[in-house]
Amino acid sequence: MSLTNADVRKVARLARLGMTETEIESAREQLSGIFDLIAEMQAVDTNGITPMSHAQDVTQRLREDVVTETDQRELFQSLAPQHQGSPQVEAGLYLVPQVIE
Amino acid sequence: MLNSSLQQLGDALRAGKISSVELTQLYLGRIAELNPALNAYITLNPETSLDQARRADALLAGGKAQPLTGIPVAQKDIFCARGWRTTCGSKMLENFIAPYDAHVITQFNDAGAVNLGKTNMDEFAMGSSNETSHFGTVKNPWDRNAVPGGSSGGAACAVAARLCAAATGTDTGGSIRQPAALCGISGIKPTYGTVSRYGMIAFASSLDQAGPMARSAEDLSLLLNVMTGFDERDSTSLQRDKEDYARDLDKPLAGLRIGLPREFFAEGLSQDVAGCVNAAIDEYKKLGATIVDISLPNSKLAVPVYYVLAPAEASSNLSRYDGVRYGYRAPEYGDLTEMYERSRAQGFGEEVKRRIMIGTYVLSHGYYDAYYLQAQKIRRLIAQDFDDAFKLCDVIMGPTSPSTAFNLGEKGDDPVQMYLSDIYTIAVNLAGLPGMSIPAGFGSNGRPVGLQIIGNYFAEAQMLNVAHQYQLATDHHDRAPQNIGL
């Protein structure tokens, strides 16, 4: 299967992966090779086969609606992405880059 | 001490012949000496480990020891461990200190084991050579020009080089069994759902399964006793009674029916590996087993199916690394989209990006039926092949990997060649079956060969019995690499 650079660019955009034109070119070659391998699947007749999404046929369990987590805000705040060596938090909140003017 | 079984180590600890602190110091000393060359560990916290050892010694002194109390175990860096840096082999999580324990870590802590350190691995467990780690390649202790296998390459190296008493790994497409084979150790991936995935950083959630890596099947049984068990925090954890996986170790093998899938002995298998695997089969005949010719006709589709399903699940699981919530954030960007794109471009390595791209593509509009759904249908055919095979035999055997360990850098530029090195292991994950690898000798290059044993669902105790009886009759698993200071 041959992908075009435009295909690769579109997928990179969907996946939020920044790529240079050189990277797109090399990704196109490698992905084309991988999709050649994957193409072996296409010849198989799977009419009437139920898709298998999980190894075990189990249904989701229900649990009592009770509090199971304790408050660990300070611990979690300490893990926020760092800026100049300290976590980006203020007044118990997480600071994220401004996205709205 | 370094060649003792876990049972012997436990006995020595309980008898007071050695303390957990002494044992932990012994391993930490070896790690300080050998790890700079082998790179099996990413993170060590000697003081934390020794604190745990001191607590274990108190339990031992108080007569409250369990089988693994005081034993130093290396944890794959995919398991969150409270207070420990947990990187998953990625720059994305280079500075992530886990705020909680994975269920597996809790189980080992409750058993009184010592967390000796976090082992190196392919980035987000995506790789078969440990070369995709952000923290550098791991060397195979049998030949430092060779890869240790992956993704649990650091764990396999640490066990083989006696840098820990035992280790944990995870296996999505062969990541316990293949490095176990390439490093000459034993490893088992239990039935999907047997070990909780809580706190185990997700790669492909419908395939990921944790398991132990050690020097013998007997050791694996003790480790599995600790690792398994229902956990309500993992929605796919199975509610089953607790088992003793060592209960059948001593059963004789007379009458055992071993299925040999003809597809596993066809073109692509190296002479070295075929020779060792066939010799192992002969040994099993001597132990009273009978051989059954079986077929897994769809097994050749396992690799293509896997490289649709695993990347699809991965692309979804790894969307959480967006530069906002935690992990790496690019230092410079214009708008929000650019922040995402740069953080992910700079934080992920090549192989991880490649798999995110594959997954995004197969899940994108217009391709879902042709790729994802078709792969899920063939996944069922692959599972049915095993169902049919287990009507004819008790266990299935074959090679773990088509060749002995390849050279570092050998397959670096060709992802398809790398993916094909898991050709015999992947089908087991797709079906959710238990699989293991045990040492079966050495190739002409002196590098280890692994024998793969595949069991039916929940047949771990039987597989461990099958492996243990072979290990009583042979000594491949007792061999140690040169130049590791023994």
Side-chain angles (χ1 to χ4, degrees), chain B residues 133-321:
Chain B
S133 170
H134 174 64
F135 300 92
T137 56
V138 177
K139 308 291 191 297
N140 189 315
W142 293 91
D143 183 338
R144 294 181 188 185
N145 296 314
V147 302
S151 68
S152 312
C157 172
V159 171
R162 277 68 172 165
L163 298 183
C164 60
T168 56
T170 61
D171 190 316
T172 306
S175 283
I176 286 175
R177 290 161 286 158
Q178 186 255 18
L182 271 44
C183 287
I185 65 159
S186 304
I188 185 165
K189 178 201 92 72
T191 306
Y192 181 84
T194 304
V195 176
S196 169
R197 293 181 293 108
Y198 179 77
M200 184 177 120
I201 295 172
F203 161 15
S205 308
S206 83
L207 304 164
D208 295 343
Q209 183 59 217
M213 303 172 77
R215 291 197 314 276
S216 72
E218 183 197 322
D219 285 0
L220 293 177
S221 69
L222 297 182
L223 294 156
L224 213 48
N225 280 348
V226 168
M227 293 177 76
T228 56
F230 174 65
D231 174 24
E232 65 179 5
R233 298 170 301 182
D234 170 2
S235 62
T236 58
S237 176
L238 297 170
Q239 275 175 295
R240 306 183 79 249
D241 292 337
K242 197 84 177 151
E243 294 186 41
D244 174 13
Y245 290 98
R247 67 183 185 274
D248 290 337
L249 287 178
D250 295 326
K251 279 193 176 174
L253 297 188
L256 180 79
R257 296 171 304 164
I258 299 174
L260 302 183
R262 62 190 82 121
E263 293 82 4
F264 282 22
F265 294 86
E267 195 191 332
L269 179 62
S270 76
Q271 292 272 324
D272 281 9
V273 176
C276 289
V277 170
N278 287 326
I281 303 298
D282 287 339
E283 188 63 41
Y284 273 107
K285 287 184 198 163
K286 282 190 222 158
L287 292 169
T290 55
I291 304 303
V292 187
D293 172 42
I294 60 164
S295 176
L296 299 170
N298 292 294
S299 60
K300 63 179 184 303
L301 295 164
V303 173
V305 165
Y306 178 86
Y307 279 97
V308 172
L309 297 181
E313 294 185 25
S315 70
S316 170
N317 275 326
L318 272 62
S319 65
R320 75 190 70 184
Y321 305 106

Side-chain angles (χ1 to χ4, degrees), chain B residues 3 11 14 29 56 72-73 87 96 130 146 168 181 190 192 220 224 234 243 285 292 299 324 364 449 456 475 481:
Chain B
N3 291 320
D11 288 344
R14 288 183 291 273
V73 176
T87 71
F96 176 67
N130 221 117
T168 56
Y192 181 84
L220 293 177
L224 213 48
D234 170 2
E243 294 186 41
K285 287 184 198 163
V292 187
S299 60
V324 178
S364 64
V449 171
N456 212 336
D475 67 353

Side-chain angles (χ1 to χ4, degrees), chain B residues 24-25 27-29 31-32 35 41-55 72-75 77 79-87 96-98 101 114-119:
Chain B
T24 303
Q25 278 168 335
Y27 281 115
L28 288 171
I31 293 167
N35 199 55
Y41 287 87
I42 293 175
T43 301
L44 297 160
N45 284 331
E47 276 317 306
T48 306
S49 301
L50 287 166
D51 274 347
Q52 257 187 317
R54 280 187 276 273
R55 287 199 296 276
V73 176
Q75 299 290 351
D77 205 20
F79 294 106
C80 289
R82 191 179 171 111
W84 286 77
R85 182 167 76 134
T86 300
T87 71
F96 176 67
I97 310 289
D101 285 326
V114 173
N115 183 348
L116 194 54
K118 306 293 290 291
T119 59

Side-chain angles (χ1 to χ4, degrees), chain B residues 85-108:
Chain B
R85 182 167 76 134
T86 300
T87 71
C88 219
S90 182
K91 178 179 176 183
M92 189 59 91
L93 294 174
E94 191 167 13
N95 299 308
F96 176 67
I97 310 289
Y100 70 105
D101 285 326
H103 188 66
V104 163
I105 299 290
T106 303
Q107 304 272 75
F108 276 107

Side-chain angles (χ1 to χ4, degrees), chain A residues 52-58, chain B residues 171-174 177 188-195 197 204-210 236-238 240 245 296 302 305-306 309 313 376 378-387 390 396 424-436 452-460 463:
Chain A
M52 178 174 168
S53 54
H54 250 276
Q56 306 287 346
D57 258 337
V58 287
Chain B
D171 190 316
T172 306
R177 290 161 286 158
I188 185 165
K189 178 201 92 72
T191 306
Y192 181 84
T194 304
V195 176
R197 293 181 293 108
S205 308
S206 83
L207 304 164
D208 295 343
Q209 183 59 217
T236 58
S237 176
L238 297 170
R240 306 183 79 249
Y245 290 98
L296 299 170
V305 165
Y306 178 86
L309 297 181
E313 294 185 25
Q376 284 194 323
I378 301 174
R379 181 177 182 182
R380 185 168 302 279
L381 296 177
I382 289 167
Q384 280 171 357
D385 283 355
F386 282 109
D387 267 355
F390 281 120
I396 295 171
Y424 304 126
T425 49
I426 279 176
V428 174
N429 299 78
L430 293 170
L433 291 164
M436 69 185 298
Q452 186 174 207
I453 304 172
I454 303 166
N456 212 336
Y457 298 104
F458 311 113
E460 289 85 358
M463 296 157 67

Side-chain angles (χ1 to χ4, degrees), chain A residues 1 11 13 15-16 18 30 35 38 41-42 44 46 50-54 56 61 79 81 88 97 99, chain B residues 97 99 191-192 232 234 236-237 308 329 333 336 339 341 344-345 354 357 361 370-371 374 376 379-380:
Chain A
M1 189 179 117
V11 174
R13 181 79 179 171
R16 298 289 185 268
Q30 291 191 323
F35 278 100
I38 290 172
M41 285 192 336
Q42 304 303 342
V44 183
T46 53
T50 313
M52 178 174 168
S53 54
H54 250 276
Q56 306 287 346
R61 292 180 301 273
L79 301 169
Q88 294 189 277
V99 295
Chain B
I97 310 289
T191 306
Y192 181 84
E232 65 179 5
D234 170 2
T236 58
S237 176
V308 172
R329 181 184 297 161
Y333 46 84
L336 179 66
M339 188 203 66
E341 290 185 343
R344 288 164 65 79
R354 191 176 296 133
M357 297 277 284
Y361 184 83
Y371 289 106
Q374 175 74 351
Q376 284 194 323
R379 181 177 182 182
R380 185 168 302 279

